[in-house]
């Protein structure tokens, strides 16, 4: 009877339960009953409204079997669920999915590794199913947390630990794919999820042994490799995650990387950090690169008080990031990158000098170690600035050159962004050198179509200012920067080293015809270049490298910018340099004097062969031959290799050893050159920059020349005789009018002195001096034989009976009043 009752009860059970029960065999080892599974699948497809009930009943049975450790039936239930998911795609599948996810969660919560792997595999299959309609209430918070925890498995059995970690990574990959494909995909990018997903992947990526194998774009490893290696699988999942990131959620995916690197102290050494950000930069969409760079800059600001090696590690990561970003779009972060790096350069110098000041309180070894570490930071910053700048397009590179130059601190000024007032001379010099080194790297490889584009006036003036400073390294850097900008045909390597070149044609110099723009540039700014070369030769601390760079500057100017007029100016400059060594008004050491003589010889030998005037070449060759026999210390091959055989004095009358202006003029005149200007000695322009150079002699020269020119500049009044009237006297007495006139007069004098060629100024002064001489002679004649005193004239005091009052001569020679 009981059996009959049981049969009746079984017959009265819902059909879906009977179909579900039939798929389970008596012995779980026999596996799923396929024929009954086909019936259940057909029933589910035919009556999709029953799916939720089927799922709930399967979940009930699976929960009971898990609790009873009947794992064979658990495997059968999950296999049936997977087949039903793959077969059913109707709208009614949503409730069924909830039951399915509930069962997967039960498996993941169990402590049995096999069940965790089974649940993960089922979830991955579910993640690959494209649902017809989105789910507006489903969340994956539990799965994110559980899969992330599985990624950190510490099971004592290495094989089981590896298996669970792989399952966790695959589960995260499934969550990402499912959430991204869902219309509510933004939820997966929330910080609470990314803070679990990203560190879990990075934790497994740390196990990769061959870091250098992933510096490029993602590869496509085989399925077997991905299954066996958690680190490779984690890396591919990380790449996929970043590849799916969009503008709004990029930062949420990148910030956890910094937290992981900080927590595990992976900035020093930073091989893994560099590897991570290379993966990031190659995986994200190119237009989002500036997001990553901004995040690195922000983290650098956060860690600005950390140890030097940590900061250097972050900066090196930034270097790798911008190296990749510079090939694509870097957006508005260009100036932000440079501004932040320059700020940290200043911070590093502050730390270095602070450690040096406190050296008395600690051991010398520790302080030198700190200084060395700060130098690592500074070099990393310079490398990043230079590499980033050198990869920018030309229009942006010009702006960056101006930007960096504006940051170079100059003693005596307060307008610089990097205020040197708190650094002292040593700190200011350190920043000057480092910024110029950065600028040198930025200008490397820069090819401007015209020199005026490479050296605009707002950039040229501040660039040349450091060349007046009493620091040989600063002057060397300025010259090297000039070489980068002037050398548009890569001739500098051929001119390396100062020497007498036997045959310039062997160098195969590349050059083009001088353009009209370059000619105009030399007319406006040529005197500035000559002046800084001239003053650079007069520095007492010059070493061989300074002379080599000065020679290269002259040679490149000849190649790139020299027409006939510039050639004459360069010869005048060379003769003036020779006079520096011969006359020695600056009391230079004998080595410097001989070095200048060797520089002139090397350059005139180069110039004579470049312009190919036979008579000029003959004169230069003759002087060089004479020197090689009688005064080898005047040649670069001798003076820079053997400094012991210096002469005790230089005789001014040994004309055979010197390059003579008259012979050069004679040789060039026969070849059509206008040599009249050769007779005018070269004298450098003097500008306000000299005030910053701490050279008292130059400052005095500025004052003296301004005073002289202020008397010579009012040429409009010298030759015009103005009748003295009451109105003129009234105007002259008007103090306000005089004051305004004096201000305008001074402004015109200074402007004329700064912009007019020296020859023009000298010629005007000579004219005024001759006129003054003639007028004084006339006055002297009148003094010896004074004319009758006109009525109303006043005589001088009794002590000077033969002198009449000024008004007499002022009326006769009104133009003398200006003197």
């Amino acid at each position: 009877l009981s059996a009959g009752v049981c049969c009746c009860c079984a017959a009265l059970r819902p059909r879906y339960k009977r179909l579900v029960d039939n798929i389970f065999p008596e012995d779980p080892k026999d596996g799923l009953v396929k024929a009954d599974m086909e019936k259940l699948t057909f029933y589910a497809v035919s009556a999709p409204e029953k799916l939720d009930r089927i799922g709930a009943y399967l979940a009930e049975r699976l929960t009971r079997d898990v609790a009873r450790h009947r794992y064979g039936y658990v495997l059968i239930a999950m296999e049936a669920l997977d087949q039903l998911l793959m077969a059913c795609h109707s709208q009614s599948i949503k409730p069924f999915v909830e039951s399915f996810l509930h069962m997967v969660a039960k498996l993941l919560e169990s402590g049995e590794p096999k069940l965790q792997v089974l649940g993960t595999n089922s979830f991955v299959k579910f993640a690959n199913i494209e649902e017809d309609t989105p789910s507006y209430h489903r969340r994956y918070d539990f799965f994110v947390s559980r899969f992330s925890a599985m990624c950190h498995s510490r099971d004592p059995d290495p094989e089981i630990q590896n298996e669970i970690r792989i399952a966790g990574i695959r589960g995260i990959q499934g969550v990402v794919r499912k959430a991204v494909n869902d219309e509510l995909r933004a939820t997966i990018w929330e910080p609470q999820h990314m803070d679990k997903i990203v560190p879990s992947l990075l934790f497994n990526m740390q196990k990769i042994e061959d870091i250098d194998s992933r510096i490029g774009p993602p590869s496509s490893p085989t399925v077997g490799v991905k299954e066996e290696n958690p680190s490779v699988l984690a890396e591919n999942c990380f790449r996929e995650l970043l590849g799916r990131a969009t503008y709004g959620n990029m930062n949420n995916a990148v910030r956890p990387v910094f937290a992981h690197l900080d927590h595990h102290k992976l900035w020093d050494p930073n091989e893994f950090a560099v590897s991570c950000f290379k993966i990031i930069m190659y995986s994200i969409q190119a237009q989002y690169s500036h997001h990553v760079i901004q995040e690195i800059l922000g983290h650098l600001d956060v860690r600005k008080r950390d140890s030097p090696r940590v900061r250097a590690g972050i900066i090196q990561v930034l270097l790798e990031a911008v190296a990749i970003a510079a090939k694509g779009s870097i957006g508005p972060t260009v100036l932000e990158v440079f501004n932040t790096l320059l700020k940290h350069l200043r911070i590093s110098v502050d730390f270095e000098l602070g450690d040096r000041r406190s050296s008395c309180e600690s051991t010398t070894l520790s302080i030198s170690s700190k200084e060395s570490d700060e130098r690592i930071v500074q070099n990393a910053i310079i490398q990043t600035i230079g590499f980033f700048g050198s990869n920018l397009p030309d229009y942006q590179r010009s702006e960056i050159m101006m930007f960096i130059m504006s940051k170079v601190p100059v003693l005596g000024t307060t307008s610089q962004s990097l205020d040197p007032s708190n650094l002292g001379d040593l700190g200011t010099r350190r920043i000057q050198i480092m910024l110029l080194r950065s600028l040198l790297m930025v200008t490397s490889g820069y090819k401007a179509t015209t020199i005026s584009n490479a050296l605009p006036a707002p950039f040229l003036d501040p660039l040349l200012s450091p060349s007046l400073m009493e620091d040989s390294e600063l002057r060397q850097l300025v010259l090297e920067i000039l070489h980068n900008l002037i050398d548009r045909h890569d001739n500098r390597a051929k001119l390396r080293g100062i020497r007498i070149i036997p045959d310039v044609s062997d160098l195969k110099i590349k050059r083009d015809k001088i353009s009209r723009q370059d000619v105009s540039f030399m007319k406006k700014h040529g005197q500035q270049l000559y002046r800084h070369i001239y003053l650079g030769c007069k520095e007492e601390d010059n070493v061989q490298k300074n002379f080599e760079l000065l020679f290269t500057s002259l040679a490149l100017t000849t190649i790139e910018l020299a027409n006939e007029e510039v050639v004459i100016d360069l010869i005048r400059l060379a003769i003036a340099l020779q006079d520096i060594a011969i006359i020695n008004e600056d009391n230079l050491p004998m080595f410097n004097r001989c070095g200048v003589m060797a520089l002139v010889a090397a350059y005139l030998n180069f110039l004579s062969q470049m312009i190919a005037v036979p008579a000029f070449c003959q004169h230069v060759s003759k002087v060089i031959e004479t020197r090689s026999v009688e005064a080898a210390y005047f040649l670069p091959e001798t003076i820079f290799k053997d400094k012991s055989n210096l002469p005790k004095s230089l005789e001014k009358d040994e004309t055979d050893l010197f390059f003579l202006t008259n012979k050069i003029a004679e040789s060039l005149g026969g070849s059509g050159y206008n040599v009249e200007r050769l007779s005018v000695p070269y004298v450098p322009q003097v500008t306000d920059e000299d005030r910053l150079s701490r050279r008292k002699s130059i400052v005095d020269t500025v004052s003296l020349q301004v005073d002289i020119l202020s008397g010579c500049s009012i040429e409009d009044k010298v030759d015009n005789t103005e009748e003295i009237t009451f109105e003129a006297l009234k105007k002259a007495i008007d103090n306000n009018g005089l004051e305004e006139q004096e201000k305008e007069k001074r402004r015109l004098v200074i402007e004329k002195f700064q912009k007019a060629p020296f020859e023009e100024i000298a010629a005007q002064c000579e004219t005024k001096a001759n006129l003054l001489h003639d007028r004084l002679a006339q006055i002297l004649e009148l003094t010896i034989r004074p004319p009758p005193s006109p009525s109303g004239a006043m005589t001088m005091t009794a002590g000077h009976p033969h002198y009449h009052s000024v008004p007499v001569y002022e009326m006769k020679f009104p133009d003398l009043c200006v003197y």
Side-chain angles (χ1 to χ4, degrees):
L1 180 62
S2 61
V5 173
C6 290
C7 291
C8 292
C9 291
L12 294 174
R13 297 180 69 192
R15 183 181 180 188
Y16 72 89
K17 287 188 177 181
R18 284 182 280 134
L19 291 174
V20 170
D21 289 338
N22 290 338
I23 67 174
F24 291 94
E26 293 183 5
D27 186 356
K29 294 181 180 179
D30 295 337
L32 182 69
V33 180
K34 295 183 179 179
D36 291 323
M37 185 65 217
E38 291 177 359
K39 294 178 182 179
L40 177 62
T41 303
F42 179 77
Y43 177 77
V45 172
S46 303
E49 68 276 3
K50 300 293 184 179
L51 268 175
D52 58 334
R53 299 181 184 183
I54 294 173
Y57 184 61
L58 277 170
E60 179 184 342
R61 287 199 55 146
L62 183 138
T63 303
R64 183 173 63 247
D65 292 335
V66 169
R68 295 176 180 179
H69 301 285
R70 300 170 64 179
Y71 298 139
Y73 289 116
V74 172
L75 294 174
I76 294 173
M78 292 307 299
E79 185 178 355
L81 283 170
D82 292 342
Q83 291 190 24
L84 288 173
L85 278 174
M86 299 298 293
C88 303
H89 297 281
S90 67
Q91 295 182 358
S92 301
I93 200 174
K94 300 303 177 187
F96 176 76
V97 169
E98 298 305 321
S99 300
F100 167 78
L101 294 178
H102 176 70
M103 287 183 282
V104 171
K106 285 291 183 181
L107 295 178
L108 296 177
E109 286 178 336
S110 70
E112 183 63 34
K114 291 183 179 179
L115 296 185
Q116 293 178 359
V117 174
L118 177 64
T120 301
N121 293 336
S122 295
F123 183 85
V124 171
K125 293 177 183 178
F126 162 71
N128 293 326
I129 295 176
E130 295 184 7
E131 300 182 51
D132 296 336
T133 57
S135 175
Y136 295 100
H137 62 281
R138 188 187 305 154
R139 295 186 65 87
Y140 300 100
D141 301 28
F142 167 79
F143 295 100
V144 170
S145 300
R146 189 59 194 157
F147 288 136
S148 298
M150 292 170 63
C151 290
H152 293 82
S153 173
R154 295 288 186 180
D155 195 280
D157 187 341
E159 292 185 3
I160 295 178
Q161 174 183 295
N162 192 63
E163 189 177 7
I164 295 176
R165 287 188 179 184
I166 288 176
I169 296 168
R170 294 180 67 240
I172 288 177
Q173 194 172 31
V175 171
V176 171
R177 290 177 179 175
K178 193 63 178 176
V180 168
N181 291 331
D182 199 329
E183 289 187 4
L184 300 179
R185 59 185 176 275
T187 57
I188 196 63
W189 298 105
E190 293 176 358
Q192 63 266 29
H193 299 320
M194 288 291 106
D195 289 344
K196 298 174 183 176
I197 292 174
V198 174
S200 301
L201 298 176
L202 296 178
F203 176 76
N204 286 276
M205 288 168 58
Q206 283 179 252
K207 306 300 180 181
I208 297 179
E209 296 179 357
D210 187 10
I211 295 176
D212 294 334
S213 65
R214 299 177 326 286
I215 62 175
S219 57
S220 299
T222 62
V223 175
V225 173
K226 289 194 290 184
E227 293 291 342
E228 295 175 0
N229 195 335
S231 47
V232 174
L233 181 63
E235 179 190 334
N236 283 276
C237 183
F238 188 51
R239 291 182 185 272
E240 183 177 349
L241 174 69
L242 294 168
R244 295 174 181 270
T246 59
Y247 180 85
N249 49 48
M250 173 61 64
N251 293 343
N252 291 340
V254 174
R255 286 170 185 164
V257 178
F258 295 104
H260 180 82
L261 296 174
D262 290 342
H263 179 71
H264 293 277
K265 300 180 180 179
L266 296 174
W267 295 112
D268 178 31
N270 69 338
E271 287 81 3
F272 180 72
V274 171
S275 171
C276 283
F277 278 92
K278 284 184 177 180
I279 292 173
I280 292 172
M281 296 303 293
Y282 280 118
S283 301
I284 62 175
Q285 300 180 47
Q287 64 267 30
Y288 303 147
S289 297
H290 63 279
H291 281 287
V292 181
I293 295 175
Q294 286 176 329
E295 289 296 323
I296 299 175
L297 293 173
H299 196 68
L300 182 60
D301 287 336
V302 171
R303 304 297 300 272
K304 64 183 178 182
R305 297 294 177 183
D306 280 36
S307 67
R309 291 189 176 273
V310 169
R311 286 181 281 126
I314 299 174
I315 293 169
Q316 187 176 355
V317 167
L318 178 63
L319 171 61
E320 299 293 341
V322 298
I324 299 171
K327 301 174 184 177
S329 172
I330 48 181
T333 60
V334 176
L335 287 181
E336 184 180 355
V337 170
F338 287 100
N339 200 33
T340 302
L341 289 174
L342 294 179
K343 179 179 68 177
H344 284 276
L345 187 63
R346 166 63 187 270
I347 292 173
S348 178
V349 172
D350 284 341
F351 286 158
E352 180 185 357
L353 296 180
D355 292 338
R356 183 171 298 179
R357 295 187 193 103
S358 61
S359 59
C360 58
E361 301 176 3
S362 57
T363 62
T364 305
L365 180 61
S366 64
I367 290 302
S368 61
S369 176
K370 288 182 180 179
E371 289 182 1
S372 176
D373 289 345
E374 289 297 342
R375 294 294 177 90
I376 294 174
V377 175
Q378 295 159 14
N379 290 332
I381 292 174
I382 291 172
Q383 272 191 322
T384 306
I385 290 175
F387 189 86
F388 194 16
S390 61
N391 281 278
L392 293 174
D394 287 345
Y395 72 93
Q396 280 186 325
R397 203 190 305 197
S398 298
E399 295 177 358
I400 295 304
M401 287 160 49
M402 298 280 290
F403 181 74
I404 296 177
M405 199 66 239
S406 69
K407 299 291 183 180
V408 177
V410 179
L411 292 172
T413 63
T414 58
S415 60
Q416 303 296 329
S417 297
L418 293 179
D419 183 15
S421 57
N422 298 326
L423 292 174
D425 290 353
L426 179 61
T428 300
R429 178 185 179 276
R430 288 282 300 145
I431 289 184
Q432 288 170 338
I433 289 177
M434 287 185 286
L435 289 179
L436 289 177
R437 284 174 57 193
S438 304
L439 188 58
L440 178 63
M441 295 188 68
V442 172
T443 57
S444 178
Y446 181 55
K447 296 291 189 298
T449 54
T450 62
I451 294 296
S452 57
N453 290 338
L455 291 170
F459 176 73
L460 179 63
D461 294 338
L463 174 63
L464 294 179
S465 294
S467 69
L468 295 177
M469 297 180 183
E470 297 174 348
D471 188 299
S472 62
E473 187 176 359
L474 282 173
R475 299 196 303 274
Q476 291 171 13
L477 289 170
V478 171
L479 290 174
E480 288 178 327
I481 293 169
L482 279 175
H483 297 169
N484 281 345
L485 297 173
I486 294 177
D487 184 20
R488 293 172 291 179
H489 297 87
D490 298 323
N491 292 311
R492 182 175 36 174
K494 305 171 185 177
L495 301 168
R496 186 173 291 117
I498 180 172
R499 63 196 187 280
I500 303 296
I501 303 174
D503 190 352
V504 174
S505 61
D506 292 340
L507 301 180
K508 297 181 180 180
I509 299 293
K510 298 178 182 178
R511 62 185 305 190
D512 293 328
K513 185 178 180 181
I514 309 301
S515 66
R516 184 179 302 175
Q517 292 87 346
D518 292 346
V519 172
S520 175
F521 173 85
M522 290 304 292
K523 287 183 178 179
K524 292 180 179 179
H525 305 290
Q527 294 297 327
Q528 281 181 276
L529 296 178
Y530 306 150
R531 169 179 180 268
H532 286 270
I533 293 175
Y534 178 86
L535 296 178
C537 291
K538 298 174 69 174
E539 295 293 343
E540 293 186 9
D541 61 340
N542 279 341
V543 295
Q544 179 178 349
K545 185 176 181 180
N546 290 90
F547 289 109
E548 290 178 352
L549 294 173
L550 288 166
F551 166 75
T552 305
S553 300
L554 289 167
L556 289 176
T557 303
T558 304
I559 295 170
E560 298 286 349
L561 302 169
N563 56 8
E564 291 189 5
E565 183 178 350
V566 173
V567 166
I568 297 298
D569 286 336
L570 290 170
I571 293 175
R572 291 175 57 233
L573 174 60
I575 298 300
L577 294 176
Q578 179 178 255
D579 292 340
I580 290 176
I582 297 173
I583 302 173
N584 197 26
E585 293 180 348
D586 297 281
N587 296 320
L588 294 175
M590 185 55 68
F591 168 75
N592 294 66
R593 298 172 69 185
C594 294
V596 173
M597 296 292 282
L599 168 66
V600 174
Y603 173 63
L604 288 181
N605 172 70
F606 176 82
L607 176 63
S608 62
Q609 296 186 56
M610 287 296 293
I611 64 177
V613 176
F616 185 25
C617 293
Q618 184 178 1
H619 172 64
V620 172
S621 299
K622 184 177 180 180
V623 173
I624 292 175
E625 291 175 3
T626 305
R627 289 185 178 185
S628 62
V629 176
E630 301 180 9
Y633 43 78
F634 283 166
L635 298 177
E637 289 81 358
T638 301
I639 183 60
F640 296 124
K641 293 182 179 180
D642 183 12
K643 301 179 183 179
S644 58
N645 296 325
L646 295 176
K648 296 181 180 180
S649 63
L650 297 182
E651 300 297 334
K652 299 180 181 180
D653 55 352
E654 296 180 356
T655 56
D656 292 342
L657 301 177
F658 306 143
F659 301 99
L660 304 179
T661 305
N662 58 345
K663 291 190 176 182
I664 294 175
E666 182 180 348
S667 62
L668 294 179
S671 298
Y673 283 83
N674 183 5
V675 296
E676 293 181 2
R677 293 170 54 247
L678 281 177
S679 60
V680 181
Y682 171 79
V683 178
Q685 278 187 346
V686 185
T687 68
D688 290 341
E689 292 175 357
D690 297 305
R691 177 176 56 83
L692 307 177
S693 68
R694 299 181 178 179
R695 291 186 178 84
K696 184 177 184 302
S697 59
I698 294 183
V699 176
D700 293 342
T701 305
V702 173
S703 302
L704 178 61
Q705 293 198 18
V706 169
D707 290 341
I708 293 175
L709 289 175
S710 64
C712 302
S713 62
I714 44 177
E715 52 188 326
D716 296 335
K717 297 184 179 181
V718 172
D719 297 327
N720 297 327
T721 302
E722 183 177 329
E723 183 180 358
I724 298 178
T725 62
F726 177 80
E727 292 297 329
L729 291 174
K730 181 178 179 181
K731 184 177 180 181
I733 295 173
D734 186 357
N735 292 330
N736 293 332
L738 282 175
E739 186 174 348
E740 293 298 326
Q741 290 180 7
E742 286 297 324
K743 287 183 179 179
E744 180 66 16
K745 188 188 302 181
R746 291 192 195 97
R747 189 189 67 78
L748 292 174
V749 168
I750 293 174
E751 182 179 353
K752 185 173 184 179
F753 176 74
Q754 288 177 338
K755 296 183 178 180
F758 176 78
E759 294 78 13
E760 179 182 342
I761 296 174
Q764 292 177 359
C765 290
E766 184 178 2
T767 302
K768 305 301 185 297
N770 293 336
L771 180 61
L772 179 61
H773 180 271
D774 295 337
R775 297 305 191 199
L776 289 175
Q778 295 179 24
I779 291 174
L780 183 60
E781 182 180 357
L782 289 173
T783 301
I784 297 173
R785 292 182 287 111
S789 178
S791 61
M794 298 177 60
T795 58
M796 299 293 284
T797 59
H800 300 276
H802 300 293
Y803 284 84
H804 292 271
S805 63
V806 174
V808 175
Y809 303 108
E810 194 171 354
M811 287 168 32
K812 186 172 180 61
F813 306 106
D815 50 347
L816 281 177
C817 64
V818 299
Y819 296 100

